[in-house]
Amino acid sequence: MAAGLHHVTLVTGQAQANVDFYAGFLGLRLVKRTGGFEDATQLHLFYGDAAGSPGSLVTFLVWEDGAPGRVGLGQFTELALAIPSASIGFWLTRAMSHGVKVAGPSRLFGQPVLRLTDPDGATVRLAGTDDLAAAAPLGDGPVPAEHAIRRLAGATLLTDQLRMSEAFFADHLSYRETAREDGLVRLTSPAGDSLDLRDASGFWPGASGPGTIDHLAFRTADAAGLQAALRRLEDEGREVSPIKDRRYFTSLYWREPGGALCERATDGPGMTVDETPAGLGEGLFVPPGTGEAVKLQLPDIALPGEPRERRADLAFVHRLKRMDGGDGSTIVLLHGTGGNETDLMPLAHVAAPNANLLGFRGRSTEAGSLRWFRRFDTGAFDTADIAREAEAFAATLQEALAFYGLDAERTMLLGYSNGANFAAATMMLQPGLVRNAVLMRPVQVLDSPPAADLAGAQVLALTGSTDPYLAEAAGLIRQLRERGAVVDLRELTAGHASGDADIAAIRAWHAAWYGA
């Protein structure tokens, strides 16, 4: 019967820094990279042993440049990894020489421990353990085998329902109390990993995000065991998810009495269903039915020692997808309200497969949705904010083109909705920045833009015949033409949403200006 941890899933906001720390510094093996099964545009990284075995896996949901989470009540924290007890000195020296924040050594339940801080601020506890003779190293990278991490050791739960949480893990998952120390209750599974429960009553609640543990997953042998677990949770009146196919395992989710998210995951079919054991972690996979284009929205990563693209530290969050052997043109992507820097990449790539794609993220928010500038109400825009953001964006784009070696003369803007409005405003407020632009579903947001010289600028404006904002585009088209821009206005049989007609129009327009 399967027992103990299957995997621990954390959240990171820095995919490349995460790989550098967990594969490069800690020496774990990257065994799988996929698009998320809940959100295919979210990269999911898996680290583990040579076969990606249940019980060895540490996984990360990548919320690239996401707001940091907050460790607190109703949350697991402090990922624990087992190392040989004699290796504490090696890891202390390694942390100090690599500039990794480290605390300790200290002792916890009789074990020597070091606490490291990963790039997102999550605590990784290296627990010195004496019974590791049969445990193979979790990686074959830069860490000598005799000092390598051997297995998952556990995590800590912050709960205000200590007795109920303890009883739940005992009754449902066979974790039994083995020790108490300094306000912690240690529960140990038959597999040897441990959960340390701390009564955190009165502590602030946790908030998911980079630097936190999202959930713990516990091993279940097979589908029959998963069904039995589901029935029991439902019989107890607990809220539980449907059974979900995660390709590499099947699982279900619920929250333990203290509020922390838990998962049951089957041992099979395992990480080798789509890669050989030797090739684990080399491919990038997306959920069935998602489409290959979604891969464009996932951040690129390089393993330690592999060539990588340097990333500029810019005022706007951005993502570059460089097309090797492409036509040398670059499409600068400006998302609509609620989007992000990758939203338009699939559309732009289909329209212009040989163009580099440089997506930016707006810095304003409205009701939690990203935008490019503030507004006071529907149709009432903060023109001072537009001007400030346009100036900042112009400087940022110039810096990005120079840093990445992109040809400014072969660069165009592509904006949708709020992004199209911002692109047009930026062309008038910062003339000469970019001469060509595609504006999908634009409207007028500047009442009295400056008398900019847009002579030579070429604009493709794509409106929708049933778009409720169609009439509001006329003023913008007039402003652009009055300032010398050549505007190709096309009314598509469409609403506000973009689609195949937009792609066809952009494809022809891009080919005319930058070559097929």
Side-chain angles (χ1 to χ4, degrees), residues 76 157 165-171 173-175 187 195 218 256:
F76 293 107
L157 172 65
S165 293
E166 181 177 357
F168 180 88
F169 286 112
D171 293 344
L173 296 161
S174 300
Y175 278 79
L187 309 180
L195 299 178
F218 301 90
E256 57 80 41

Side-chain angles (χ1 to χ4, degrees), residues 130-156:
D130 294 324
D131 57 345
L132 296 174
L138 293 194
D140 53 3
V143 178
E146 65 269 25
H147 298 302
I149 293 166
R150 295 297 202 274
R151 60 174 172 81
L152 289 177
T156 299

Side-chain angles (χ1 to χ4, degrees), residues 166-209:
E166 181 177 357
F168 180 88
F169 286 112
D171 293 344
H172 283 258
L173 296 161
S174 300
Y175 278 79
R176 308 298 181 190
E177 181 179 335
T178 53
R180 290 181 178 247
E181 178 181 297
D182 295 334
L184 290 172
V185 179
R186 170 154 290 188
L187 309 180
T188 303
S189 80
D193 58 75
S194 298
L195 299 178
D196 295 335
L197 276 55
R198 181 179 294 280
D199 186 347
S201 298
F203 198 41
W204 57 68
S208 189

Side-chain angles (χ1 to χ4, degrees), residues 108-412:
L108 182 67
F109 293 109
Q111 295 177 311
V113 298
L114 291 175
R115 287 180 171 87
L116 311 175
T117 302
D118 83 355
D120 292 287
T123 299
V124 177
R125 185 174 79 229
L126 299 182
T129 309
D130 294 324
D131 57 345
L132 296 174
L138 293 194
D140 53 3
V143 178
E146 65 269 25
H147 298 302
I149 293 166
R150 295 297 202 274
R151 60 174 172 81
L152 289 177
T156 299
L157 172 65
L158 302 179
T159 178
D160 60 357
Q161 304 292 328
L162 183 61
R163 292 183 180 178
M164 293 176 65
S165 293
E166 181 177 357
F168 180 88
F169 286 112
D171 293 344
H172 283 258
L173 296 161
S174 300
Y175 278 79
R176 308 298 181 190
E177 181 179 335
T178 53
R180 290 181 178 247
E181 178 181 297
D182 295 334
L184 290 172
V185 179
R186 170 154 290 188
L187 309 180
T188 303
S189 80
D193 58 75
S194 298
L195 299 178
D196 295 335
L197 276 55
R198 181 179 294 280
D199 186 347
S201 298
F203 198 41
W204 57 68
S208 189
T212 66
I213 292 177
D214 186 75
H215 65 271
L216 263 58
F218 301 90
R219 292 179 63 181
T220 302
D222 51 29
L226 200 63
Q227 287 283 358
L230 175 62
R231 287 193 298 270
R232 183 178 178 190
L233 289 166
E234 289 179 334
D235 289 345
E236 293 178 359
R238 302 184 188 276
E239 292 187 11
V240 58
S241 76
I243 289 178
K244 297 177 180 286
D245 182 359
R246 299 309 198 198
R247 187 180 181 117
Y248 311 107
F249 47 85
T250 306
S251 65
L252 59 85
Y253 301 82
W254 77 97
R255 292 189 182 274
E256 57 80 41
L261 184 61
C262 300
E263 178 184 5
R264 282 256 199 179
T266 59
D267 279 358
M271 295 290 157
T272 57
V273 295
D274 49 19
E275 290 180 298
T276 65
L280 282 176
E282 294 179 0
L284 173 60
F285 300 92
V286 293
T290 301
E292 291 294 297
V294 76
K295 291 182 178 179
L296 291 164
Q297 297 180 262
L298 301 176
D300 296 318
I301 58 171
L303 290 172
E306 293 180 344
R308 64 182 63 182
E309 175 119 56
R310 293 185 306 142
R311 180 178 175 181
D313 184 12
L314 302 177
F316 288 75
V317 173
H318 69 288
R319 182 85 57 81
L320 172 65
K321 288 288 183 176
R322 192 188 296 274
M323 300 301 155
D324 295 332
D327 59 22
S329 69
T330 299
I331 303 178
V332 177
L333 305 171
L334 307 179
H335 62 80
T337 299
N340 63 33
E341 65 275 17
T342 71
D343 269 15
L344 295 175
M345 285 188 172
L347 179 148
H349 182 67
V350 173
N354 295 316
N356 301 314
L357 306 177
L358 179 57
F360 286 91
R361 182 188 301 181
R363 303 193 300 185
S364 184
T365 59
E366 182 178 290
S369 294
L370 290 168
R371 287 176 51 85
W372 288 95
F373 51 83
R374 294 194 299 262
R375 60 181 177 179
F376 302 119
D377 201 349
T378 302
F381 306 102
D382 186 339
T383 56
D385 188 51
I386 296 173
R388 286 191 296 267
E389 290 302 290
E391 182 179 9
F393 179 74
T396 297
L397 180 55
Q398 291 172 326
E399 184 179 354
L401 296 177
F403 182 92
Y404 291 116
L406 302 172
D407 187 350
E409 295 300 317
R410 293 180 60 79
T411 296
M412 57 170 272

Side-chain angles (χ1 to χ4, degrees), residues 40-95:
T41 66
Q42 180 183 79
L43 184 64
H44 197 168
L45 301 174
F46 294 74
Y47 303 91
D49 65 13
S53 305
S56 74
L57 298 169
V58 180
T59 92
F60 286 85
L61 304 172
V62 180
W63 298 3
E64 192 75 358
D65 296 296
R70 180 183 64 220
V71 175
L73 187 63
Q75 207 174 50
F76 293 107
T77 184
E78 199 164 283
L79 166 69
L81 302 172
I83 61 171
S85 294
S87 297
I88 288 289
F90 166 85
W91 281 102
L92 177 60
T93 300
R94 183 170 175 80

Side-chain angles (χ1 to χ4, degrees), residues 13-40:
Q14 308 171 71
Q16 186 58 65
N18 181 270
V19 172
D20 290 342
F21 181 83
Y22 285 91
F25 174 73
L26 290 182
L28 304 180
R29 183 182 182 187
L30 181 66
V31 297
K32 192 68 62 181
R33 54 184 101 177
T34 77
F37 283 84
E38 295 295 327
D39 179 359

